Amino acid sequence: MSVSVPQQSGAPRLWGHVARRCVLVPLAVLTPLLAVAPTRDHRFNVYWHGGMFRDDPAAIVTHTIASGDAYLRLGNFRPLGRMLEKSLDLLAFTGMQQLGLPAAVMLRAVSVLAAIVLTLAAVLLAESVLNRGRLLGSTPSVVALLIPYAVGAGFVAAGPDSTTVLFGGLYFSTAALVLTVAAAACRLDRFRWWHGVLAVAAGAALAVFNEPAYFAVPLAGAAVLLRGRFVLGLTARELFRGAGFRFAALLWAGFLPVFGTVRWIIRGFCAGGGCYQGSDLIVDGRSILLLPVRMTAWLPPLQWRAATTGADGTWLWGLVPVVVLIVLGVLAVRTGKLLRQAPRPANRELAGLAAVALVILLSGALLATLSVAVRAAMTGRELWEQGWRDSALTVPGGMLLTVALLLMTRRRIAIGILAATVLWGTVSATANHAYADTAAAVPATRLDTRLSAAMAAFEPGPDGNARRCALLDEAITANAGKPFLQTRYADSLDVASRTLAGVPFCERTAR
């Protein structure tokens, strides 16, 4: 049975239903994390980048290009990714100024927005693989109705290094970019000359974006080939002469020269050590054992354990699970009724989608498997449960794989999948609430929360200055013996306060 049902009058209505669930489900699951204070470099970057670029957003480009040589020498060269990161920080900073909300809340709001975009991208890719005809002119499949609930349920604060907690805006957006590139390659029916120019330019851009973005290139090729074989039933000759395959091949043509040149230069600078260790990779026999471990670390039940470490035994009870269950339940009731109207893809087509999802899952898990930082930070059970900031692809990949495989088992299992993902989403939101409560009890987090509140409700007078100086002194004392962090606190807060109010964050000579 083909998934394509062209020109049905209910198609726009169903697409609107899917889009609303892509917004509301991640929002319900991630809302408990809105008050969690930023960690790591985000403690400083939101103020530093916001203060630097608020009055001149175009300077993000020139500033990144000017600092590119320094990052190249450090082995951390990803200029387009840095431009995106600075833009998201500026968005959070501007929201703080305009809405009067703390920067911590605005950073989490940007992360939630990126999670919504990622959920939409997962639906877009699934339908781009399954659908034979016009995408928006046909009725979305059962898969499209289920994916928002499944992907949303996977957004769990699985430890301080998980994408949901750390740099969520950047890495969720990157994962959405990866899926969108693959979806575009699948939907390309006719190849024109400008498609070739676009493909080469896109491949070159992906090579200087960031590490997770690299996987857009192989994923695009895999998605085109698997769709052509399982969904379209093309011969090998038709596959390799198709527009999608040519687009994917030209992505490689743009990617490999830039990637190879940058890696060669970095190798020359960093052969003696001393470069950025976050990008260091190791390939050994242990990698074979770690890969399946990291490919299952996205599972919500495993992530719940990581999110609730330090919480008391009653974390699953309270008002939050009741409210979230009601919200998701109300959304799911309508979705359950629409499942009857949505076409169910044939098992062969679902097998193709499952194969694409497996490639996505493998891509998301590979960086964490090979990362020296992961091996240094995680041991034993943590390798199964803890999230990693570069692994944003594992949640959409794992959930797409799960939904596709389950739908292949029985024709009437869709309503069971919907009910299960609603329950998973409820527990995930509750686990996020438990993580937020645990994080709020950490002294460093409380300090960053108060700094964020002081910047949002900026008091320019002497009393406000005294309170800000006390907070800065507390931050410097808490980081005794760490001059780099002390300097980052002082400089970033000062840049932001001068931009916001035209005064230093802490003026020691103020009366």
Side-chain angles (χ1 to χ4, degrees):
M1 174 180 176
S2 173
V3 72
S4 177
V5 184
Q7 303 303 325
Q8 290 194 12
S9 59
R13 179 170 57 87
L14 284 181
W15 276 114
H17 176 93
V18 171
R20 288 190 293 273
R21 269 60 185 173
C22 288
V23 174
L24 296 174
V25 175
L27 182 62
V29 174
L30 291 171
T31 293
L33 294 173
L34 280 178
V36 176
T39 58
R40 308 291 174 84
D41 285 350
H42 254 160
R43 293 175 292 173
F44 323 112
N45 288 351
V46 65
Y47 304 120
W48 182 260
H49 294 152
M52 287 181 65
F53 305 123
R54 189 202 65 174
D55 297 327
D56 187 12
I60 290 176
V61 177
T62 56
H63 180 268
T64 304
I65 293 174
S67 60
D69 180 67
Y71 283 112
L72 189 62
R73 293 176 181 275
L74 290 172
N76 191 18
F77 185 74
R78 36 193 168 193
L80 293 183
R82 293 189 182 281
M83 290 180 193
L84 174 61
E85 182 181 0
K86 292 172 183 177
S87 299
L88 295 175
D89 288 339
L90 176 59
L91 177 61
F93 186 86
T94 304
M96 177 193 72
Q97 181 186 14
Q98 298 297 323
L99 302 178
L101 295 173
V105 174
M106 290 306 306
L107 275 173
R108 298 299 170 194
V110 169
S111 181
V112 171
L113 179 61
I116 291 170
V117 174
L118 176 56
T119 308
L120 287 164
V123 173
L124 176 66
L125 176 60
E127 290 300 287
S128 295
V129 171
L130 294 172
N131 198 300
R132 296 169 180 262
R134 292 180 56 194
L135 195 61
L136 296 181
S138 60
T139 304
S141 70
V142 169
V143 175
L145 291 171
L146 295 174
I147 286 301
Y149 296 92
V151 174
F155 293 133
V156 185
D161 290 320
S162 64
T163 309
T164 311
V165 175
L166 186 63
F167 301 114
L170 173 63
Y171 288 112
F172 284 150
S173 299
T174 301
L177 172 65
V178 171
L179 301 186
T180 303
V181 171
C186 288
R187 300 310 302 176
L188 189 62
D189 294 326
R190 297 181 60 188
F191 193 86
R192 294 183 171 88
W193 68 268
W194 59 270
H195 289 141
V197 175
L198 178 62
V200 173
L206 290 167
V208 292
F209 200 94
N210 57 24
E211 287 88 343
Y214 298 162
F215 292 104
V217 182
L219 177 59
V224 168
L225 293 176
L226 291 168
R227 177 177 184 259
R229 186 70 181 90
F230 286 91
V231 178
L232 302 180
L234 302 178
T235 64
R237 180 182 179 86
E238 291 171 329
L239 276 174
F240 295 127
R241 295 182 64 181
F245 181 80
R246 281 188 280 174
F247 183 85
L250 288 173
L251 280 176
W252 281 108
F255 177 84
L256 286 176
V258 178
F259 176 81
T261 301
V262 170
R263 293 297 115 186
W264 180 75
I265 294 173
I266 288 176
R267 182 180 180 182
F269 285 135
C270 301
C275 285
Y276 176 65
Q277 297 180 348
S279 296
D280 289 347
L281 304 177
I282 182 171
V283 181
D284 57 13
R286 192 184 177 198
S287 304
I288 301 175
L289 300 176
L290 283 180
L291 183 58
V293 170
R294 294 309 303 177
M295 288 180 69
T296 55
W298 62 271
L299 285 165
L302 295 176
Q303 293 188 325
W304 297 336
R305 187 181 181 97
T308 58
T309 299
D312 58 41
T314 62
W315 66 268
L316 192 52
W317 307 101
L319 183 62
V320 171
V322 174
V323 172
V324 176
L325 182 60
I326 291 173
V327 171
L328 295 183
V330 170
L331 295 173
V333 167
R334 179 60 177 160
T335 302
K337 296 178 180 178
L338 294 175
L339 284 173
R340 303 188 195 95
Q341 303 177 24
R344 178 193 177 277
N347 277 3
R348 181 182 176 87
E349 296 166 340
L350 290 171
L353 177 62
V356 173
L358 186 61
V359 176
I360 298 171
L361 182 58
L362 178 65
S363 301
L366 192 58
L367 281 177
T369 300
L370 303 179
S371 172
V372 173
V374 168
R375 299 194 187 188
M378 303 177 194
T379 58
R381 195 176 66 195
E382 293 175 338
L383 289 168
W384 291 94
E385 302 171 352
Q386 295 280 344
W388 184 247
R389 62 179 181 266
D390 288 348
S391 298
L393 283 170
T394 54
V395 168
M399 286 300 185
L400 280 171
L401 179 62
T402 301
V403 170
L405 292 178
L406 288 176
L407 285 174
M408 290 172 65
T409 60
R410 286 193 304 158
R411 295 191 63 85
R412 298 185 180 276
I413 201 174
I415 195 68
I417 298 173
L418 179 61
T421 53
V422 166
L423 292 176
W424 277 16
T426 300
V427 181
S428 294
T430 310
N432 288 340
H433 180 256
Y435 180 90
D437 287 344
T438 303
V442 178
T445 302
R446 292 200 300 267
L447 173 60
D448 289 326
T449 299
R450 286 185 286 136
L451 284 167
S452 179
M455 189 66 73
F458 199 91
E459 300 179 63
D463 293 341
N465 181 76
R467 282 188 282 270
R468 292 194 301 276
C469 285
L471 285 172
L472 181 58
D473 290 341
E474 189 175 343
I476 291 175
T477 301
N479 291 278
K482 302 176 182 177
F484 177 73
L485 293 182
Q486 292 175 333
T487 302
R488 289 295 305 274
Y489 267 113
D491 290 350
S492 60
L493 292 171
D494 194 65
V495 168
S497 62
R498 290 181 184 276
T499 300
L500 285 174
V503 299
F505 183 79
C506 172
E507 178 56 70
R508 298 294 182 181
T509 61
R511 297 181 180 178

